[in-house]
Amino acid sequence: MSYSLCVYCGSRAGNDARYAQDAEALGTALAEAGIRLVYGAGDVGLMGTVARAAKAGGCKTFGVIPQHLLDREVGKRDLDTFIVTETMHERKKVMVMNADAIAVLPGGAGSLDEFFEVLTWRQLSLHDKPIYLLNSAGYWTKLTHLLDHIIGSGFADESLKGFYEVVADVPGLMSALTRARAA
């Protein structure tokens, strides 16, 4: 099986055009690199943007959506693999289990939940997959400051920073994925 990237991102587009531009560029880059997209199976917001670009480029796609979000997130049924779960927790577990690395694009509370869950799992040695924050238009800068504050306040070790990498743009993410694949 080819290398797979789990992408967490917003079910909305956000208010900066660069978020959608990066989502589209990532979908295209994944297709060009032969990396399978694993994501939340929605066809709205950044989720839909990355998936449509990936599909247009011939990328293999693996989507996972809970039953209660099929209508709200407009479940994208033209994916290579389309899985419907009962719960959000099951969705997240299936996504991570079927990916070799994780990238977090701009998003809201759901994307933060997903990031912190995989970060915690990594901290607890439940997986050793690389985690990337795609800092589109500086979106995650304040989050990285919060993580520094958590470490500085004694609630996490400095080693926490070694469990994720901040990348500025899609070429930087693709370079990081190339390094991870070679390792």
Side-chain angles (χ1 to χ4, degrees), residues 9-10 19 44 169 174:
C9 59
Y19 306 149
V44 294
D169 52 28
M174 296 310 293

Side-chain angles (χ1 to χ4, degrees), residues 32-105:
E32 290 170 356
I35 297 173
R36 181 178 70 164
L37 170 66
V38 176
Y39 86 114
D43 200 15
V44 294
L46 297 184
M47 282 197 300
T49 300
V50 72
R52 285 188 299 276
K55 286 290 291 178
C59 184
K60 293 287 185 192
T61 52
F62 185 103
V64 186
I65 192 166
Q67 179 68 44
H68 71 278
L69 289 180
L70 273 173
D71 293 333
R72 183 185 219 173
E73 292 184 353
V74 191
K76 188 165 177 48
R77 297 173 190 270
D78 65 340
L79 305 171
D80 295 300
T81 303
F82 182 78
I83 296 174
V84 179
T85 63
E86 289 186 30
T87 66
M88 288 292 286
H89 182 72
E90 187 180 2
R91 174 199 216 182
K92 293 183 290 184
K93 180 181 174 186
V94 170
M95 289 171 67
V96 171
M97 287 177 58
N98 284 281
D100 300 296
I102 297 113
V104 187
L105 279 61

